[in-house]
Amino acid sequence: MGCVAVAQNDDLGAQIAAADAALGARPGEIPVTTSGTISEGKVSLSAWHDLVCKKGTKIFLKAGSYIYQNSHTSIKNCIIEATSKPILGEVQSLNTENVVLDSVTFVGGGYLVYWVGVNNFLISDNEVVSITAVVPTTQVVLSGFYLDHCNHGQVNNFTVSGFVFP
């Protein structure tokens, strides 16, 4: 089992990054057992590292913060909630493969998932709740899953409430 990321006084993003670094090149899980806030921008998951939340655990994202998935990573059982709106991608990935979102609940605003060029992906048992966001300068509504040039993927058991696809 990998290092346990537990939110106390420190930023959850720093704890996840430290647990990711501790795994090095070895495959493994980064368990998150207590809800916390990521306020430090990009938090990357290295290849073959999986972010696994204890059921009901919330990851709060401040403006400008997001989780970045490299190839061969997954996020499981997390509730990811934006504390500021709009947000330009709670979970992001660029030109990667074998990326998984499993039983993730999204609450907040903006592009919840912002993936470009992601191949062989799986989005399974995800839920989207009460999403609203607007670009202040243009008043254009940003909301939902943005999958551009992504292929060979599956979306299974996707639940949406209080949300309208643009």
Side-chain angles (χ1 to χ4, degrees):
M1 183 166 150
C3 297
V4 177
V6 179
Q8 294 175 359
N9 294 329
D10 296 332
D11 186 86
L12 182 59
Q15 293 175 30
I16 291 170
D20 184 81
L23 285 172
R26 294 179 324 229
E29 292 184 352
I30 301 168
V32 177
T33 59
T34 305
S35 298
T37 301
I38 294 176
S39 57
E40 298 181 359
K42 179 179 179 179
V43 175
S44 292
L45 300 178
S46 299
W48 304 104
H49 295 176
D50 299 323
L51 185 66
V52 181
C53 293
K54 178 181 173 187
K55 191 166 179 78
T57 301
K58 291 185 177 183
I59 297 175
F60 299 99
L61 298 172
K62 289 192 175 180
S65 297
Y66 60 97
I67 300 170
Y68 183 84
Q69 287 186 271
N70 284 292
S71 292
H72 304 282
T73 60
S74 68
I75 299 174
K76 298 178 183 176
N77 302 324
C78 300
I79 300 168
I80 301 176
E81 184 168 340
T83 61
S84 303
K85 299 173 188 175
I87 195 163
L88 295 178
E90 294 182 5
V91 174
Q92 298 183 23
S93 197
L94 177 65
N95 298 325
T96 57
E97 60 184 14
N98 299 105
V99 176
V100 176
L101 293 173
D102 184 5
S103 301
V104 177
T105 299
F106 292 94
V107 184
Y111 286 124
L112 306 176
V113 176
Y114 189 93
W115 286 353
V116 177
V118 175
N119 299 311
N120 302 313
F121 63 87
L122 174 62
I123 297 172
S124 182
D125 297 310
N126 282 213
E127 183 175 1
V128 173
V129 181
S130 302
I131 304 307
T132 57
V134 175
V135 176
T137 56
T138 63
Q139 294 302 303
V140 173
V141 175
L142 298 175
S143 53
F145 283 31
Y146 180 83
L147 309 178
D148 188 32
H149 299 293
C150 298
N151 59 50
H152 302 291
Q154 292 184 36
V155 179
N156 300 324
N157 303 316
F158 189 58
T159 304
V160 178
S161 60
F163 175 76
V164 177
F165 285 95

